[in-house]
């Protein structure tokens, strides 16, 4: 399977610029409409998590193959692990008034994973280019 790297950008306060990069490349490979919007929301949530909880700096890498468009968001703090992948809506008794970002990423993307490696955490978001294929 051939992998095509689209780009790699530092995560900064310029989240609109980051979304523009994603939007441009996603449209180029055929991701449009609600699925593109969902990916943009999920990627934005992942980038915000880097800024607020992931050490304040990180990188977003975008790539695709014949099957899917993938976004890897890597932070410098390494606090997230695979155990942090949430599939259930956080309860109203949650100690934080927020905390829906990980849940949202899991709901919006076809694939959502978290890996911890080398003192960093990597959030992977994938959207199939043909949503009818599994």
């Amino acid at each position: 399977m051939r992998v095509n790297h689209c780009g790699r950008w530092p995560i900064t306060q310029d989240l609109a610029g980051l979304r523009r990069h994603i939007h441009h490349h996603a449209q180029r490979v055929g991701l449009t409409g609600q699925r593109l919007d969902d990916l943009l929301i999920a990627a934005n949530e992942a980038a915000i998590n880097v800024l607020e909880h992931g050490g304040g700096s990180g990188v977003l890498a975008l790539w695709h193959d014949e099957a899917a468009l993938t976004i890897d968001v890597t932070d410098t703090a390494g606090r997230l692990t695979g155990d942090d992948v949430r599939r259930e809506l956080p309860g109203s008794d949650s100690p934080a008034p927020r905390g829906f970002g990980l849940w949202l990423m899991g709901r919006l993307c076809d694939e959502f994973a978290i890996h911890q490696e080398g003192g960093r955490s990597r959030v992977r978001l994938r959207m199939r280019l043909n949503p009818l294929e599994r």
Side-chain angles (χ1 to χ4, degrees):
M1 191 170 281
R2 183 170 180 229
V3 173
N4 299 292
H5 296 277
C6 301
R8 185 175 164 88
W9 303 275
I11 296 171
T12 67
Q13 295 294 327
D14 183 16
L15 296 175
L18 201 58
R19 290 189 304 271
R20 280 191 299 274
H21 288 303
I22 295 166
H23 189 271
H24 170 77
H25 291 288
Q27 277 192 320
R28 226 180 72 221
V29 298
L31 195 62
T32 61
Q34 186 65 51
R35 294 178 55 72
L36 173 55
D37 292 344
D38 289 349
L39 182 63
L40 289 169
I41 291 167
N44 192 73
E45 285 293 325
I48 288 170
N49 278 352
V50 167
L51 296 173
E52 293 183 357
H53 311 291
S57 65
V59 174
L60 183 142
L62 181 67
W63 56 276
H64 71 92
D65 55 28
E66 296 87 20
L69 180 68
T70 302
I71 294 176
D72 285 332
V73 176
T74 306
D75 68 30
T76 58
R79 292 186 185 111
L80 292 177
T81 69
D83 294 337
D84 291 309
V85 174
R86 294 189 189 190
R87 291 292 178 186
E88 296 180 17
L89 181 65
S92 60
D93 59 343
S94 176
R98 300 171 47 189
F100 293 89
L102 294 175
W103 173 82
L104 188 62
M105 287 178 237
R107 301 296 280 179
L108 294 175
C109 295
D110 294 328
E111 295 176 35
F112 168 56
I114 299 172
H115 301 282
Q116 198 175 55
E117 52 194 39
R120 300 172 186 266
S121 295
R122 184 188 73 217
V123 170
R124 176 163 286 177
L125 308 169
R126 279 178 65 84
M127 293 297 265
R128 288 185 300 278
L129 298 177
N130 183 347
L132 301 178
E133 291 180 6
R134 291 245 171 214

